[in-house]
Coordinates of all heavy atoms in Angstrom, one line a residue:
N151 N -27.0 78.3 24.1 CA -28.0 77.3 24.5 C -27.7 75.9 23.8 O -27.7 75.8 22.5 CB -29.4 77.8 24.0 CG -29.9 78.9 24.8 OD1 -29.5 79.0 26.0 ND2 -30.8 79.7 24.2
I152 N -27.2 75.0 24.6 CA -26.7 73.7 24.0 C -27.7 72.6 24.6 O -27.8 72.4 25.7 CB -25.3 73.4 24.5 CG1 -24.4 74.5 24.0 CG2 -24.9 72.1 23.9 CD1 -23.0 74.4 24.6
G153 N -28.3 71.9 23.6 CA -29.2 70.8 24.0 C -30.3 71.3 24.8 O -31.1 72.2 24.5
S154 N -30.4 70.7 26.1 CA -31.5 71.1 26.9 C -31.1 72.3 27.9 O -32.0 72.8 28.7 CB -31.9 69.9 27.8 OG -30.8 69.5 28.6
L155 N -29.9 72.8 27.7 CA -29.4 73.9 28.6 C -29.9 75.3 28.0 O -29.8 75.5 26.8 CB -27.9 73.9 28.6 CG -27.3 74.8 29.8 CD1 -27.6 74.1 31.1 CD2 -25.8 74.8 29.5
R156 N -30.5 76.1 28.9 CA -30.9 77.4 28.5 C -30.2 78.5 29.3 O -29.9 78.3 30.5 CB -32.4 77.6 28.7 CG -33.2 76.7 27.7 CD -33.0 77.1 26.3 NE -33.6 76.3 25.3 CZ -33.0 75.3 24.6 NH1 -31.7 75.1 24.8 NH2 -33.6 74.6 23.7
F157 N -29.9 79.6 28.7 CA -29.1 80.7 29.3 C -29.8 82.1 29.1 O -30.2 82.4 28.0 CB -27.7 80.7 28.8 CG -26.8 81.8 29.4 CD1 -26.2 81.7 30.6 CD2 -26.6 82.9 28.6 CE1 -25.4 82.7 31.1 CE2 -25.8 84.0 29.1 CZ -25.2 83.8 30.4
V158 N -29.8 82.9 30.2 CA -30.3 84.3 30.0 C -29.2 85.2 30.6 O -28.7 85.0 31.7 CB -31.6 84.5 30.8 CG1 -32.0 86.0 30.8 CG2 -32.7 83.7 30.1
S159 N -28.8 86.2 29.8 CA -27.8 87.1 30.3 C -28.4 88.1 31.2 O -29.6 88.6 31.0 CB -27.2 87.9 29.1 OG -26.3 88.8 29.5
L160 N -27.8 88.4 32.3 CA -28.3 89.3 33.3 C -27.5 90.6 33.5 O -28.1 91.6 33.9 CB -28.4 88.5 34.7 CG -29.2 87.3 34.8 CD1 -29.1 86.6 36.2 CD2 -30.7 87.6 34.5
A161 N -26.2 90.5 33.3 CA -25.4 91.7 33.6 C -24.0 91.5 32.9 O -23.7 90.4 32.5 CB -25.2 91.9 35.1
H162 N -23.3 92.7 32.9 CA -21.9 92.7 32.4 C -21.1 93.4 33.5 O -21.4 94.5 33.8 CB -21.8 93.4 31.1 CG -22.3 92.5 29.9 ND1 -23.6 92.5 29.6 CD2 -21.6 91.7 29.1 CE1 -23.7 91.7 28.5 NE2 -22.5 91.2 28.2
E163 N -20.2 92.7 34.0 CA -19.3 93.2 35.1 C -18.1 93.9 34.5 O -17.4 93.3 33.7 CB -18.8 92.1 36.0 CG -18.1 92.5 37.2 CD -19.1 92.8 38.4 OE1 -19.7 91.9 38.8 OE2 -19.2 94.0 38.8
R164 N -18.0 95.2 34.8 CA -16.8 96.0 34.3 C -15.6 95.7 35.1 O -15.7 95.6 36.4 CB -17.1 97.5 34.3 CG -18.0 97.9 33.2 CD -18.0 99.5 33.1 NE -18.7 99.9 31.9 CZ -20.0 100.2 31.9 NH1 -20.7 100.2 32.9 NH2 -20.6 100.6 30.7
Y165 N -14.5 95.5 34.5 CA -13.2 95.4 35.2 C -12.3 96.6 34.9 O -12.2 97.1 33.8 CB -12.5 94.1 34.6 CG -12.9 92.8 35.2 CD1 -14.2 92.3 35.0 CD2 -12.1 92.1 36.0 CE1 -14.7 91.1 35.5 CE2 -12.6 90.9 36.6 CZ -13.8 90.4 36.4 OH -14.3 89.2 36.9
Y166 N -11.7 97.1 36.1 CA -10.9 98.2 36.0 C -9.5 97.8 36.5 O -9.3 96.8 37.1 CB -11.4 99.3 36.9 CG -12.7 99.9 36.4 CD1 -13.9 99.5 36.9 CD2 -12.7 100.9 35.4 CE1 -15.1 100.0 36.4 CE2 -13.9 101.4 34.9 CZ -15.1 101.0 35.4 OH -16.3 101.5 34.9
L167 N -8.5 98.7 36.2 CA -7.2 98.4 36.6 C -7.0 98.7 38.2 O -7.3 99.8 38.6 CB -6.2 99.3 35.9 CG -4.7 99.1 36.2 CD1 -4.3 97.7 35.6 CD2 -3.8 100.2 35.6
A168 N -6.6 97.7 38.9 CA -6.4 97.8 40.3 C -4.9 98.2 40.6 O -4.0 97.5 40.1 CB -6.7 96.5 41.1
V169 N -4.7 99.3 41.2 CA -3.4 99.9 41.4 C -3.2 100.2 43.0 O -4.0 100.8 43.6 CB -3.2 101.2 40.7 CG1 -1.8 101.7 40.9 CG2 -3.5 100.9 39.2
G170 N -2.1 99.7 43.5 CA -1.9 99.9 44.9 C -1.7 101.4 45.2 O -1.2 102.2 44.4
H171 N -1.9 101.8 46.4 CA -1.9 103.2 46.8 C -0.5 103.8 46.6 O -0.3 105.0 46.2 CB -2.2 103.4 48.3 CG -3.7 103.2 48.5 ND1 -4.7 103.6 47.6 CD2 -4.3 102.7 49.6 CE1 -5.9 103.3 48.1 NE2 -5.7 102.7 49.3
A172 N 0.6 102.9 46.7 CA 2.0 103.4 46.6 C 2.5 103.4 45.2 O 3.5 104.0 44.9 CB 2.9 102.5 47.4
N173 N 1.7 102.9 44.3 CA 2.1 102.8 42.9 C 1.9 104.2 42.2 O 0.8 104.8 42.4 CB 1.3 101.8 42.1 CG 1.7 101.5 40.7 OD1 2.0 102.4 39.9 ND2 1.9 100.2 40.4
P174 N 2.9 104.7 41.5 CA 2.7 106.0 40.9 C 1.5 106.2 40.0 O 1.0 107.3 39.8 CB 4.0 106.2 40.1 CG 5.0 105.3 40.8 CD 4.2 104.1 41.3
L175 N 1.0 105.1 39.4 CA -0.2 105.1 38.6 C -1.4 105.6 39.3 O -2.4 106.1 38.8 CB -0.4 103.8 37.9 CG 0.6 103.3 36.9 CD1 0.2 102.0 36.3 CD2 0.7 104.4 35.8
A176 N -1.4 105.4 40.7 CA -2.5 105.7 41.5 C -2.8 107.2 41.5 O -4.0 107.6 41.7 CB -2.3 105.2 42.9
A177 N -1.8 108.0 41.3 CA -2.0 109.5 41.3 C -2.3 110.0 39.9 O -2.5 111.2 39.7 CB -0.7 110.1 41.8
R178 N -2.2 109.1 38.9 CA -2.5 109.6 37.5 C -3.9 109.7 37.2 O -4.8 108.9 37.6 CB -1.9 108.5 36.6 CG -0.3 108.4 36.6 CD 0.4 109.4 35.9 NE 0.1 109.4 34.4 CZ 0.8 108.5 33.6 NH1 1.8 107.8 34.1 NH2 0.5 108.5 32.3
G179 N -4.2 110.8 36.5 CA -5.6 111.1 36.1 C -6.0 110.2 34.9 O -7.2 109.9 34.8
E180 N -5.1 109.9 34.1 CA -5.3 109.2 32.9 C -4.2 108.1 32.7 O -3.0 108.4 32.8 CB -5.4 110.1 31.6 CG -5.8 109.3 30.4 CD -6.1 110.3 29.2 OE1 -6.7 111.3 29.5 OE2 -5.6 110.0 28.1
I181 N -4.6 106.9 32.4 CA -3.7 105.8 32.2 C -3.9 105.2 30.8 O -5.1 105.0 30.4 CB -3.9 104.7 33.3 CG1 -3.6 105.3 34.7 CG2 -2.9 103.5 33.1 CD1 -3.9 104.3 35.8
S182 N -2.9 104.9 30.1 CA -3.0 104.3 28.8 C -2.4 102.9 28.8 O -1.7 102.5 29.8 CB -2.2 105.2 27.8 OG -0.8 105.1 28.0
I183 N -2.6 102.2 27.8 CA -2.1 100.8 27.6 C -0.5 100.9 27.7 O 0.1 100.0 28.3 CB -2.5 100.2 26.3 CG1 -3.9 99.7 26.4 CG2 -1.6 99.0 25.9 CD1 -4.1 98.5 27.2
D184 N 0.1 101.9 27.1 CA 1.5 102.0 27.1 C 2.1 102.1 28.6 O 3.2 101.7 28.9 CB 2.0 103.2 26.3 CG 1.9 102.9 24.8 OD1 1.8 101.8 24.4 OD2 1.7 103.9 24.0
D185 N 1.3 102.7 29.5 CA 1.7 102.9 30.9 C 1.8 101.5 31.5 O 2.5 101.4 32.5 CB 0.7 103.7 31.7 CG 0.7 105.2 31.2 OD1 1.8 105.7 30.8 OD2 -0.4 105.8 31.1
L186 N 1.2 100.5 31.0 CA 1.1 99.2 31.7 C 2.4 98.4 31.3 O 2.7 97.4 31.9 CB -0.1 98.4 31.3 CG -1.5 99.1 31.5 CD1 -2.6 98.1 31.2 CD2 -1.6 99.6 32.9
R187 N 3.1 98.8 30.2 CA 4.2 98.0 29.7 C 5.4 98.0 30.6 O 6.3 97.1 30.5 CB 4.6 98.5 28.3 CG 3.4 98.4 27.4 CD 3.8 98.6 25.9 NE 2.7 98.9 25.0 CZ 1.8 98.0 24.7 NH1 1.9 96.7 25.1 NH2 0.7 98.3 23.9
T188 N 5.4 98.9 31.6 CA 6.5 98.9 32.5 C 6.1 98.3 33.9 O 6.9 98.4 34.9 CB 7.0 100.4 32.8 OG1 5.9 101.2 33.3 CG2 7.5 101.0 31.5
Q189 N 4.9 97.8 33.9 CA 4.4 97.2 35.2 C 4.4 95.7 35.2 O 4.3 95.1 34.2 CB 2.9 97.7 35.4 CG 2.8 99.3 35.5 CD 3.2 99.8 36.8 OE1 3.0 99.2 37.9 NE2 3.8 101.0 36.8
K190 N 4.4 95.2 36.4 CA 4.2 93.7 36.6 C 2.8 93.5 36.7 O 2.1 94.1 37.5 CB 5.0 93.2 37.8 CG 6.5 93.3 37.7 CD 7.2 92.7 39.0 CE 8.7 92.8 38.8 NZ 9.4 92.3 40.0
I191 N 2.3 92.5 36.0 CA 0.8 92.3 35.9 C 0.5 91.0 36.7 O 1.2 90.0 36.6 CB 0.3 92.1 34.4 CG1 0.4 93.5 33.8 CG2 -1.1 91.6 34.4 CD1 0.0 93.4 32.3
I192 N -0.6 91.1 37.5 CA -1.1 89.9 38.2 C -2.3 89.4 37.5 O -3.2 90.1 37.1 CB -1.5 90.3 39.6 CG1 -0.3 90.9 40.4 CG2 -2.0 89.1 40.4 CD1 -0.7 91.8 41.6
A193 N -2.3 88.1 37.1 CA -3.4 87.5 36.3 C -3.9 86.3 37.0 O -3.3 85.7 37.9 CB -2.8 87.1 35.0
F194 N -5.1 85.9 36.5 CA -5.8 84.7 37.0 C -5.1 83.5 36.4 O -4.8 83.4 35.2 CB -7.3 84.7 36.7 CG -8.0 85.7 37.4 CD1 -8.6 86.8 36.7 CD2 -8.2 85.7 38.8 CE1 -9.3 87.8 37.4 CE2 -8.9 86.7 39.5 CZ -9.4 87.7 38.8
N195 N -4.9 82.4 37.2 CA -4.3 81.2 36.7 C -4.9 80.1 37.6 O -4.3 79.6 38.5 CB -2.8 81.2 36.8 CG -2.2 79.9 36.2 OD1 -2.9 79.2 35.5 ND2 -0.9 79.7 36.5
R196 N -6.1 79.5 37.2 CA -6.7 78.5 38.0 C -6.4 77.1 37.5 O -5.9 77.0 36.4 CB -8.3 78.8 37.9 CG -8.7 80.1 38.5 CD -10.2 80.3 38.4 NE -10.6 81.5 39.1 CZ -10.8 82.7 38.5 NH1 -10.6 82.8 37.3 NH2 -11.3 83.7 39.2
Q197 N -6.7 76.2 38.3 CA -6.4 74.8 38.0 C -7.1 74.4 36.7 O -6.6 73.7 35.8 CB -6.8 73.8 39.1 CG -6.4 72.4 38.9 CD -6.8 71.5 40.0 OE1 -7.3 71.9 41.0 NE2 -6.5 70.2 39.9
N198 N -8.4 74.8 36.6 CA -9.2 74.5 35.4 C -9.4 75.9 34.7 O -10.0 76.8 35.3 CB -10.6 73.9 35.8 CG -10.4 72.6 36.4 OD1 -9.7 71.7 35.9 ND2 -11.1 72.3 37.5
L199 N -9.0 76.0 33.5 CA -9.0 77.2 32.8 C -10.5 77.8 32.8 O -11.4 77.2 32.2 CB -8.6 77.0 31.3 CG -8.2 78.3 30.5 CD1 -7.1 79.0 31.2 CD2 -7.9 77.9 29.1
S200 N -10.6 79.0 33.4 CA -12.0 79.5 33.6 C -12.3 80.5 32.4 O -11.4 80.9 31.7 CB -12.1 80.3 34.9 OG -11.2 81.4 34.9
F201 N -13.5 80.9 32.3 CA -13.9 81.9 31.3 C -13.2 83.2 31.5 O -12.6 83.8 30.6 CB -15.5 82.1 31.4 CG -16.0 83.1 30.4 CD1 -16.6 82.6 29.3 CD2 -15.9 84.5 30.7 CE1 -17.1 83.5 28.3 CE2 -16.4 85.3 29.7 CZ -17.0 84.9 28.5
T202 N -13.1 83.6 32.8 CA -12.4 84.9 33.1 C -10.9 84.8 32.7 O -10.3 85.8 32.2 CB -12.5 85.2 34.6 OG1 -13.9 85.3 34.9 CG2 -11.9 86.6 34.9
E203 N -10.3 83.7 33.0 CA -8.9 83.5 32.7 C -8.7 83.6 31.2 O -7.7 84.2 30.7 CB -8.4 82.2 33.3 CG -6.9 82.0 33.1 CD -6.4 80.7 33.7 OE1 -7.1 80.1 34.5 OE2 -5.2 80.3 33.4
R204 N -9.5 82.9 30.4 CA -9.4 82.8 29.0 C -9.6 84.2 28.4 O -8.8 84.7 27.5 CB -10.4 81.9 28.4 CG -10.1 80.4 28.6 CD -10.8 79.5 27.6 NE -12.3 79.8 27.7 CZ -13.1 79.1 28.6 NH1 -12.6 78.2 29.4 NH2 -14.4 79.4 28.6
Y205 N -10.6 84.9 29.0 CA -10.9 86.3 28.5 C -9.6 87.2 28.6 O -9.3 87.9 27.7 CB -12.0 86.8 29.3 CG -12.4 88.3 29.0 CD1 -13.3 88.6 28.0 CD2 -11.9 89.3 29.8 CE1 -13.7 89.8 27.7 CE2 -12.2 90.7 29.5 CZ -13.2 90.9 28.4 OH -13.5 92.2 28.2
F206 N -9.0 87.2 29.8 CA -7.9 88.1 30.1 C -6.7 87.6 29.3 O -5.8 88.4 28.9 CB -7.7 88.3 31.5 CG -8.6 89.4 32.1 CD1 -9.6 89.0 32.9 CD2 -8.4 90.7 31.8 CE1 -10.5 89.9 33.4 CE2 -9.3 91.6 32.3 CZ -10.3 91.3 33.1
N207 N -6.5 86.3 29.2 CA -5.3 85.8 28.4 C -5.4 86.4 27.0 O -4.4 86.8 26.4 CB -5.3 84.3 28.4 CG -4.8 83.7 29.7 OD1 -4.2 84.4 30.5 ND2 -5.0 82.4 29.8
E208 N -6.6 86.4 26.4 CA -6.8 86.9 25.0 C -6.5 88.4 25.0 O -5.9 88.9 24.1 CB -8.2 86.5 24.5 CG -8.4 85.1 24.3 CD -9.9 84.7 24.1 OE1 -10.7 85.7 24.0 OE2 -10.2 83.5 23.9
K209 N -7.1 89.1 26.0 CA -6.9 90.5 26.0 C -5.4 91.0 26.1 O -4.9 91.9 25.5 CB -7.8 91.2 27.1 CG -9.2 91.0 27.0 CD -9.7 91.7 25.7 CE -11.2 91.7 25.6 NZ -11.7 92.3 24.4
F210 N -4.7 90.3 27.1 CA -3.3 90.6 27.3 C -2.5 90.3 26.0 O -1.6 91.1 25.7 CB -2.7 89.8 28.5 CG -3.3 90.2 29.8 CD1 -3.5 89.2 30.8 CD2 -3.7 91.5 30.0 CE1 -4.0 89.6 32.1 CE2 -4.2 91.9 31.3 CZ -4.3 90.9 32.3
E211 N -2.9 89.2 25.3 CA -2.1 88.9 24.1 C -2.4 90.0 23.0 O -1.5 90.4 22.3 CB -2.6 87.5 23.6 CG -1.8 87.0 22.4 CD -2.1 85.6 22.0 OE1 -2.8 84.9 22.8 OE2 -1.6 85.1 21.0
T212 N -3.7 90.4 22.9 CA -4.1 91.4 21.9 C -3.3 92.7 22.1 O -2.9 93.3 21.2 CB -5.6 91.7 22.1 OG1 -6.3 90.5 21.8 CG2 -6.0 92.7 21.1
H213 N -3.1 93.1 23.4 CA -2.5 94.3 23.7 C -1.0 94.2 24.0 O -0.3 95.1 24.4 CB -3.2 95.0 24.9 CG -4.6 95.4 24.7 ND1 -4.9 96.5 23.8 CD2 -5.8 94.9 25.0 CE1 -6.2 96.6 23.8 NE2 -6.8 95.7 24.5
G214 N -0.4 93.0 23.7 CA 1.0 92.8 23.9 C 1.5 92.9 25.3 O 2.6 93.3 25.6
L215 N 0.7 92.4 26.2 CA 1.0 92.5 27.7 C 1.4 91.1 28.3 O 1.7 91.1 29.5 CB -0.1 93.2 28.4 CG -0.4 94.6 28.1 CD1 -1.7 95.0 28.8 CD2 0.8 95.5 28.5
T216 N 1.3 90.1 27.5 CA 1.5 88.7 28.1 C 2.9 88.6 28.8 O 3.0 88.0 29.9 CB 1.4 87.7 27.0 OG1 0.1 87.8 26.3 CG2 1.6 86.3 27.6
A217 N 3.9 89.2 28.2 CA 5.2 89.1 28.8 C 5.3 89.8 30.2 O 6.3 89.6 30.9 CB 6.3 89.6 27.8
N218 N 4.4 90.7 30.5 CA 4.4 91.4 31.7 C 3.8 90.7 32.9 O 3.9 91.1 34.0 CB 3.6 92.8 31.6 CG 4.4 93.7 30.7 OD1 4.5 93.5 29.5 ND2 5.0 94.8 31.2
I219 N 3.2 89.5 32.6 CA 2.6 88.7 33.7 C 3.6 88.1 34.6 O 4.4 87.4 34.2 CB 1.6 87.6 33.1 CG1 0.5 88.2 32.3 CG2 1.1 86.8 34.3 CD1 -0.4 87.2 31.6
A220 N 3.7 88.6 35.8 CA 4.7 88.2 36.8 C 4.2 87.4 37.9 O 4.9 86.6 38.5 CB 5.4 89.4 37.3
F221 N 2.9 87.5 38.2 CA 2.2 86.8 39.4 C 0.9 86.3 38.9 O 0.3 86.8 38.0 CB 2.0 87.7 40.6 CG 3.3 88.4 41.1 CD1 3.7 89.6 40.7 CD2 4.1 87.7 42.0 CE1 4.9 90.2 41.1 CE2 5.3 88.3 42.5 CZ 5.6 89.5 42.0
S222 N 0.5 85.2 39.5 CA -0.9 84.6 39.2 C -1.6 84.2 40.5 O -1.0 84.1 41.6 CB -0.7 83.4 38.3 OG 0.0 82.4 38.9
C223 N -2.8 84.1 40.4 CA -3.7 83.8 41.6 C -5.0 83.1 41.1 O -5.3 83.1 40.0 CB -4.0 85.0 42.4 SG -4.8 86.3 41.4
D224 N -5.7 82.5 42.1 CA -6.9 81.8 41.8 C -8.2 82.6 41.8 O -9.1 82.3 41.2 CB -7.1 80.7 42.8 CG -6.1 79.5 42.6 OD1 -5.5 79.5 41.5 OD2 -6.0 78.6 43.4
D225 N -8.2 83.7 42.6 CA -9.5 84.4 42.8 C -9.2 85.9 42.9 O -8.1 86.4 43.1 CB -10.2 83.9 43.9 CG -9.5 84.0 45.2 OD1 -9.2 85.1 45.7 OD2 -9.1 82.9 45.8
T226 N -10.3 86.7 42.9 CA -10.3 88.1 43.0 C -9.7 88.6 44.3 O -8.9 89.6 44.3 CB -11.6 88.7 42.7 OG1 -12.1 88.3 41.4 CG2 -11.6 90.2 42.8
Y227 N -10.1 88.0 45.4 CA -9.5 88.5 46.7 C -8.0 88.3 46.7 O -7.3 89.2 47.2 CB -10.1 87.6 47.8 CG -11.6 87.9 48.0 CD1 -12.5 86.8 47.9 CD2 -12.1 89.1 48.3 CE1 -13.9 87.1 48.1 CE2 -13.4 89.4 48.5 CZ -14.3 88.4 48.4 OH -15.6 88.6 48.6
A228 N -7.5 87.2 46.2 CA -6.0 87.1 46.1 C -5.4 88.1 45.2 O -4.3 88.7 45.5 CB -5.6 85.7 45.6
L229 N -6.0 88.4 44.1 CA -5.5 89.4 43.2 C -5.4 90.8 43.9 O -4.3 91.4 43.8 CB -6.4 89.5 41.9 CG -5.9 90.4 40.8 CD1 -6.2 89.8 39.5 CD2 -6.4 91.8 40.9
V230 N -6.5 91.2 44.5 CA -6.4 92.6 45.1 C -5.5 92.6 46.3 O -4.9 93.7 46.7 CB -7.8 93.1 45.5 CG1 -8.6 93.3 44.2 CG2 -8.5 92.2 46.5
S231 N -5.2 91.5 47.0 CA -4.3 91.4 48.1 C -2.8 91.6 47.5 O -2.0 92.3 48.1 CB -4.4 90.0 48.8 OG -5.6 89.9 49.5
L232 N -2.5 90.9 46.4 CA -1.2 91.1 45.8 C -1.0 92.6 45.3 O 0.0 93.1 45.4 CB -1.1 90.1 44.6 CG -0.9 88.7 45.0 CD1 -1.1 87.8 43.7 CD2 0.4 88.4 45.6
V233 N -2.1 93.2 44.8 CA -2.0 94.6 44.3 C -1.8 95.5 45.5 O -0.9 96.4 45.5 CB -3.3 95.0 43.6 CG1 -3.4 96.5 43.3 CG2 -3.4 94.2 42.2
S234 N -2.5 95.3 46.6 CA -2.4 96.1 47.8 C -1.0 96.0 48.4 O -0.5 96.9 49.0 CB -3.4 95.7 48.8 OG -4.8 95.9 48.3
A235 N -0.4 94.8 48.3 CA 1.0 94.6 48.8 C 2.0 95.3 47.9 O 3.2 95.3 48.2 CB 1.3 93.1 48.9
G236 N 1.6 95.8 46.8 CA 2.5 96.6 45.9 C 3.3 95.7 45.0 O 4.4 96.1 44.4
L237 N 2.9 94.4 44.8 CA 3.6 93.5 43.9 C 3.3 93.7 42.5 O 4.1 93.1 41.6 CB 3.3 92.1 44.4 CG 3.7 91.7 45.8 CD1 3.4 90.2 46.1 CD2 5.2 91.9 46.0
G238 N 2.3 94.3 42.1 CA 1.9 94.5 40.7 C 0.6 95.1 40.6 O 0.0 95.6 41.5
I239 N 0.1 95.2 39.3 CA -1.2 95.7 39.0 C -2.1 94.5 38.4 O -1.5 93.5 38.0 CB -1.2 96.8 38.0 CG1 -0.5 96.3 36.7 CG2 -0.4 98.0 38.6 CD1 -0.5 97.3 35.6
G240 N -3.4 94.7 38.4 CA -4.2 93.6 37.8 C -5.6 94.2 37.6 O -6.0 95.3 38.1
F241 N -6.4 93.5 36.8 CA -7.7 94.0 36.5 C -8.7 93.3 37.4 O -8.8 92.0 37.5 CB -8.1 93.7 35.0 CG -7.4 94.6 34.1 CD1 -6.2 94.3 33.5 CD2 -8.0 95.9 33.8 CE1 -5.5 95.2 32.7 CE2 -7.3 96.7 32.9 CZ -6.1 96.4 32.4
A242 N -9.5 94.1 38.1 CA -10.4 93.6 39.1 C -11.9 94.1 38.9 O -12.0 95.2 38.3 CB -10.0 94.1 40.6
P243 N -12.9 93.4 39.2 CA -14.3 93.8 39.0 C -14.7 95.0 39.8 O -14.1 95.3 40.9 CB -15.1 92.6 39.4 CG -14.2 91.8 40.3 CD -12.8 92.0 39.9
E244 N -15.6 95.7 39.3 CA -16.1 97.0 39.9 C -16.6 96.8 41.4 O -16.4 97.7 42.2 CB -17.2 97.6 39.1 CG -17.6 99.0 39.5 CD -18.7 99.5 38.5 OE1 -19.2 98.8 37.7 OE2 -19.0 100.7 38.6
W245 N -17.1 95.6 41.7 CA -17.6 95.4 43.1 C -16.5 95.5 44.2 O -16.8 95.6 45.3 CB -18.4 94.1 43.2 CG -17.7 92.8 42.9 CD1 -17.7 92.1 41.7 CD2 -16.8 92.1 43.8 NE1 -16.9 91.0 41.8 CE2 -16.3 91.0 43.0 CE3 -16.3 92.3 45.1 CZ2 -15.4 90.0 43.6 CZ3 -15.4 91.4 45.6 CH2 -15.0 90.3 44.9
T246 N -15.2 95.3 43.7 CA -14.2 95.4 44.8 C -14.1 96.8 45.4 O -13.4 96.9 46.4 CB -12.8 95.0 44.2 OG1 -12.5 95.8 43.0 CG2 -12.8 93.5 43.7
L247 N -14.7 97.8 44.8 CA -14.7 99.1 45.4 C -15.4 99.1 46.8 O -15.2 99.9 47.6 CB -15.4 100.1 44.5 CG -14.6 100.7 43.3 CD1 -15.5 101.5 42.4 CD2 -13.4 101.5 43.8

Side-chain angles (χ1 to χ4, degrees):
N151 287 335
I152 303 173
S154 61
L155 196 69
R156 293 294 175 263
F157 176 82
V158 171
S159 179
L160 300 177
H162 285 83
E163 189 84 65
R164 281 195 174 92
Y165 278 67
Y166 295 96
L167 186 69
V169 181
H171 291 323
N173 190 308
L175 292 180
R178 296 278 296 274
E180 185 172 314
I181 298 174
S182 69
I183 283 289
D184 287 337
D185 293 324
L186 307 187
R187 304 194 192 284
T188 59
Q189 298 284 324
K190 292 181 178 179
I191 293 178
I192 303 162
F194 295 113
N195 184 15
R196 299 179 171 95
Q197 183 177 2
N198 297 313
L199 194 64
S200 69
F201 182 96
T202 305
E203 185 179 347
R204 289 197 303 272
Y205 176 86
F206 279 106
N207 283 348
E208 292 170 1
K209 295 297 183 182
F210 291 148
E211 186 173 351
T212 298
H213 294 288
L215 295 171
T216 302
N218 290 72
I219 298 174
F221 301 94
S222 61
C223 57
D224 285 348
D225 58 68
T226 300
Y227 291 121
L229 185 144
V230 297
S231 294
L232 290 167
V233 169
S234 299
L237 297 180
I239 60 173
F241 285 91
E244 189 176 9
W245 60 260
T246 57
L247 281 173

